Amino acid sequence: MINTKQNVENRLSRDPATESTYQNLSEIPGPLNKDNKIYSRDIFALALAYGYQNNIKLPLEKRKQFIRSENFGKNLPALLKALAVSKSEKGIEILAENTPEIYNFAEQYANGGLDLLDSDYSGNTDEFIEKLRLRILKLNKDDKILKKLEELDL
């Protein structure tokens, strides 16, 4: 079912034209393969990160309901909220509104990052993993990520 208006409050949407890209990513042998218990939400989150990192945000031309909130998993809700707070002019106040606007930020960044993710991953999965590992190491210089996780007792 395609919803061309606002998102349903408990679902993320994607552009229906991206369906084949999600399918392709989940069928390529490697870490994103559906046989490894990787779900569409995981590919969505990685595409969102790619879009955010490369500052590529594309509005959805059409909307197809995609991931129900009960299927978000453990980390996706925090990622959606953090992105909305950091990108919204409303700042943290956006969280009080319980609005589809929170989802819109994530949907647009995921839509923007999906093609780049597909081209990077489809070319050579081993090279993709190595690039990703190096990016994480660069982000974690001086163990900032590990120290923050320790502060949060995680």
Side-chain angles (χ1 to χ4, degrees), residues 18-70:
T18 64
E19 187 168 347
S20 63
T21 306
Y22 277 93
Q23 186 71 27
N24 179 52
L25 286 167
S26 70
E27 291 177 352
I28 297 171
L32 297 181
N33 188 278
K34 60 187 170 197
D35 293 338
N36 294 327
K37 297 188 179 181
I38 297 297
Y39 304 101
S40 294
R41 70 172 180 239
D42 302 313
I43 295 172
F44 178 91
L46 192 54
L48 185 162
Y50 255 65
Y52 180 81
Q53 179 187 17
N54 293 286
N55 202 25
I56 305 170
K57 186 170 82 166
L58 296 175
L60 281 65
E61 291 187 22
K62 293 184 179 179
R63 294 184 170 281
K64 180 177 181 182
Q65 294 177 0
F66 184 44
I67 305 170
R68 297 172 59 115
S69 60
E70 55 266 19

Side-chain angles (χ1 to χ4, degrees), residues 125-141:
T125 56
D126 291 336
E127 185 178 317
F128 168 81
I129 293 168
E130 183 60 18
K131 283 182 183 178
L132 192 57
R133 186 184 72 76
L134 292 173
R135 285 180 186 160
I136 291 169
L137 286 174
K138 184 177 179 182
L139 288 172
N140 193 36
K141 63 182 173 194

Side-chain angles (χ1 to χ4, degrees), residues 3-9 13 63 65 99-101 104:
N3 177 5
T4 56
K5 297 180 183 174
Q6 291 287 356
N7 317 28
V8 174
E9 267 189 48
S13 296
R63 294 184 170 281
Q65 294 177 0
T99 173
E101 190 177 353
N104 287 337

